[in-house]
Amino acid sequence: MASTRPMLSHRGAEQLGEGVVDRVVLTPEQIAARVQELGAELARDYEGLNPIFIGILKGTFIFMADLVRATPIPLEVDFLAISRYGPTTKTQGVVRILKDLELSITGRHVLFVEDIIDTGLTLHFILRTLASRQPASLRICALVDIPRRRLVELPIAYRGFTLEEGFLIGYGLDFRERFRNLPYLGLLSERLLRASGSASR
Ligand code: IMP
Ligand code: MG
């Protein structure tokens, strides 16, 4: 696994200050290598199918940007923006769609690109909402899977990494809208976690 020392000296990360992460969980190099593998697999599986890759804003924007460049086949990209009513576990994943898809997914091969699947409730709700549009196929690609926190069953076709507990930040993932610009995935520091009560998402 990655170094146990926070990489706060990493270029681009210094300005975030001390004590933001307790541990680097995945380095930029480890993420990049896995994204290349996922892209190669997707290119094989979706060759000739002209898929639509769909991401949920804002958490997926960095993963999506890297993943599509690692997938050298014709494909299209679209995004959904949602708003949460509160912590996932309280709302059962019910969200409001703030920005719907611009593309029609009817009869199309759809790949849902997710940053992290935790309880699974958010994605479960969104997939239920979109199922009525009758895509030709619908699969899930998640950068990070945290199966121990799963509350609802979800078939994950493509998985970057399986991780255990902890609140992750960086590579698009935020804590209270900050730290998306960290180039690695890190474990949010206990100090910040304690100061905030709990990491509500
Ligand atoms: P879920 O509905 O619990 O699966 O998670 C919903 C969303 O919460 C994810 O897509 C992420 O955007 C966010 N999230 C879940 N776990 C984390 C985490 O550890 N760090 C940052 N964001 C998270
Ligand atoms: Mg997300």
Side-chain angles (χ1 to χ4, degrees):
M1 258 309 184
S3 116
T4 52
R5 225 161 32 89
M7 285 169 52
L8 291 175
S9 60
H10 194 287
R11 187 164 54 84
E14 300 98 292
Q15 81 280 11
L16 293 173
E18 292 286 320
V20 170
V21 294
D22 280 346
R23 186 163 62 85
V24 173
V25 180
L26 293 168
T27 65
E29 294 75 21
Q30 288 174 311
I31 298 170
R34 186 69 188 115
V35 170
Q36 286 303 316
E37 291 174 356
L38 286 173
E41 203 181 331
L42 290 167
R44 277 197 304 275
D45 292 358
Y46 284 94
E47 174 93 71
L49 297 179
N50 189 28
I52 304 181
F53 285 18
I54 295 177
I56 303 173
L57 294 172
K58 295 177 271 202
T60 49
F61 82 108
I62 291 179
F63 178 40
M64 179 70 95
D66 286 345
L67 188 67
V68 294
R69 284 178 291 178
T71 311
I73 54 165
L75 58 81
E76 295 169 32
V77 178
D78 208 348
F79 289 98
L80 273 173
I82 60 173
S83 124
R84 291 174 214 284
Y85 296 102
T88 309
T89 43
K90 292 218 180 82
T91 60
Q92 293 299 299
V94 175
V95 294
R96 195 157 56 93
I97 293 183
L98 292 181
K99 180 209 161 291
D100 203 341
L101 298 173
E102 289 167 19
L103 304 173
S104 164
I105 60 169
T106 306
R108 300 291 305 272
H109 293 279
V110 170
L111 184 77
F112 238 96
V113 177
E114 257 292 46
D115 47 5
I116 181 167
I117 302 186
D118 204 322
T119 66
L121 290 168
T122 307
L123 192 53
H124 186 252
F125 176 83
I126 290 168
L127 294 183
R128 244 185 7 225
T129 308
L130 297 183
S132 62
R133 301 183 191 177
Q134 297 181 310
S137 71
L138 204 165
R139 287 184 184 162
I140 298 169
C141 172
L143 178 67
V144 174
D145 180 16
I146 308 197
R148 275 172 60 177
R149 291 205 292 235
R150 191 68 32 78
L151 294 177
V152 61
E153 215 37 63
L154 277 179
I156 302 176
Y158 306 92
R159 180 184 281 101
F161 302 94
T162 302
L163 299 176
E164 297 285 313
E165 285 296 318
F167 194 86
L168 301 171
I169 53 171
Y171 198 70
L173 287 172
D174 72 305
F175 171 61
R176 308 211 156 157
E177 292 303 327
R178 287 190 49 200
F179 314 120
R180 294 190 197 274
N181 56 333
L182 283 170
Y184 53 82
L185 271 166
L187 202 58
L188 182 69
S189 77
E190 276 296 325
R191 188 184 59 80
L192 277 182
L193 203 59
R194 268 200 313 273
S196 75
S198 81
S200 61
R201 47 188 71 117

